[in-house]
Amino acid sequence: MTVRAMVIGEHGGPEQFKLVEAELGQPGPGEVLIRHKAVGLNFIDVYQRTGLYPMTLPHVLGMEAAGVIEAVGEGVTHLKAGDRAAYAATPPGAYCEARVMPAAQVCPLPDAISFEEGAAMMLKGLTVNYLFRRTTPILPGDTVLFHAAAGGVGLIACQWARSEGIRLIGTAGTDEKCQLALDHGASDCINYRTKDWVARVKDLTGGAGVDVVMDAVGADTFEGSLDSLRPLGMMISFGNASGPVPPFSVGILGQKGSLKITRPTLFTHIADGPTCQQMASELFEKVVAGDVTIRIDQRFPLEDVGGAHRTLEARRTTGSTILTL
């Protein structure tokens, strides 16, 4: 059996994507065959395409999707043929019609969640889960600064924070994006193009600073993020949308108030299969209960994944972006 897939043969720009017919085998022990109904798009896909995160080529990119299980290999007990399922997982390979992949991070998808929502929410929603529940203690009443608050991860984070009594101050690049973050639960949102966002964060916290910064922007916001923290605050750097954070002296953390910093990745958190399934269950509970809604603002056909990457890199997206099949 062959399936359509989008492959890159070299690191570079969106023009590297090529549509190919790929051979599809049967699942071995611990694997499943899943036929995709929708595929998610994330900034990690851009990092892999450009070579910021190098990988062996040629390769199909894509880290999340949703669809129907067509076959399971020996030892797979949490899924069966015909089940609806969704995943965020390694190795990359989601930009295709169907694939054989490890089963441990493929999660049964509740009937109340559509395939498009499933494809749009797994990587982003599981990221929000580890940011709020597994990285540093965050309690009701605490204040978080979240950059890119109108993006796919950001809009889930705004709603997650609201549902748990956490104050979230967002930043975004337009007044419209700021309003979107506010509509989804941010207590405040700062247009970083028109305001000194570090000064505004201090104003909004009475000069104290925030308890936690969640920063996936990287180089452009790193120093300002540190300056927005209260003494003993935690900086979570979890992405590089503006480029990687340059080297810095660890002593600066002491000078700025005995700050803490971490650089987590989702795939460390979900490497253990039962942990991944538990995190997904917590995310699904939020969505089914209505605490979190998944906003999909961009749809591209699979064969136009290059156009989807261009739009994402130009920061012309809000909410989540999916590829349709």
Side-chain angles (χ1 to χ4, degrees):
M1 177 170 51
T2 62
V3 296
R4 293 185 307 145
M6 298 301 295
V7 172
I8 61 167
E10 298 179 14
H11 292 302
E15 70 281 355
Q16 295 297 332
F17 286 108
K18 300 290 185 286
L19 180 65
V20 301
E21 293 285 331
E23 287 291 333
L24 191 63
Q26 290 298 310
E31 294 182 331
V32 295
L33 166 57
I34 181 169
R35 182 161 295 277
H36 294 150
K37 299 293 187 179
V39 176
L41 186 77
N42 296 280
F43 238 102
I44 190 173
D45 306 352
V46 174
Y47 304 153
Q48 291 168 345
R49 190 206 75 223
T50 61
L52 179 63
Y53 294 175
M55 59 197 308
T56 302
L57 301 178
H59 213 296
V60 178
L61 300 187
M63 307 297 290
E64 69 176 342
V68 177
I69 301 297
E70 292 197 342
V72 301
E74 181 183 352
V76 177
T77 58
H78 68 291
L79 294 164
K80 64 183 184 303
D83 282 353
R84 305 169 79 252
Y87 66 85
T90 57
Y95 291 177
C96 63
E97 293 177 309
R99 66 184 294 201
V100 172
M101 64 181 294
Q105 284 73 36
V106 182
C107 306
L109 184 67
D111 290 342
I113 300 175
S114 72
F115 290 119
E116 288 198 349
E117 289 170 324
M121 68 185 276
M122 291 300 289
L123 192 145
K124 303 167 190 69
L126 292 174
T127 295
V128 171
N129 183 310
Y130 85 66
L131 288 173
F132 281 89
R133 291 194 172 175
R134 296 175 58 83
T135 303
T136 191
I138 304 175
L139 302 175
D142 285 352
T143 301
V144 168
L145 173 64
F146 199 102
H147 293 299
V153 179
L155 292 184
I156 296 174
C158 289
Q159 296 173 85
W160 192 291
R162 178 174 60 187
S163 74
E164 301 202 340
I166 296 162
R167 182 187 183 192
L168 186 146
I169 300 171
T171 70
T174 68
D175 290 343
E176 291 78 14
K177 286 186 175 183
C178 283
Q179 187 59 54
L180 196 57
L182 294 170
D183 292 343
H184 283 74
S187 63
D188 304 273
C189 194
I190 306 161
N191 185 338
Y192 63 80
R193 297 188 190 277
T194 61
K195 294 181 180 175
D196 181 338
W197 57 269
V198 177
R200 183 63 181 145
V201 167
K202 288 297 181 70
D203 289 343
L204 290 169
T205 57
V210 300
D211 300 288
V212 180
V213 176
M214 300 176 179
D215 187 342
V217 175
D220 289 354
T221 51
F222 182 72
E223 287 193 26
S225 291
L226 294 181
D227 290 337
S228 299
L229 283 165
R230 65 164 175 79
L232 306 179
M234 167 66 85
M235 167 73 168
I236 307 175
S237 175
F238 70 103
N240 322 277
S242 67
V245 174
F248 68 97
S249 169
V250 72
I252 198 171
L253 301 177
Q255 297 166 18
K256 291 181 179 292
S258 300
L259 304 179
K260 294 164 282 187
I261 187 168
T262 184
R263 189 15 175 128
T265 73
L266 170 63
F267 301 106
T268 308
H269 283 280
I270 65 173
D272 173 68
T275 299
C276 178
Q277 298 294 327
Q278 176 61 34
M279 291 174 65
S281 294
E282 293 170 6
L283 172 62
F284 294 153
E285 287 172 10
K286 290 279 191 188
V287 175
V288 172
D291 291 332
V292 171
T293 58
I294 306 302
R295 183 180 174 117
I296 302 169
D297 287 340
Q298 297 80 215
R299 291 172 172 83
F300 293 82
L302 176 66
E303 56 269 23
D304 190 26
V305 67
H309 274 235
R310 290 184 186 94
T311 303
L312 183 64
E313 289 178 277
R315 302 193 187 185
R316 296 199 304 267
T317 64
T318 55
S320 295
T321 301
I322 63 166
L323 304 176
T324 58
L325 297 152

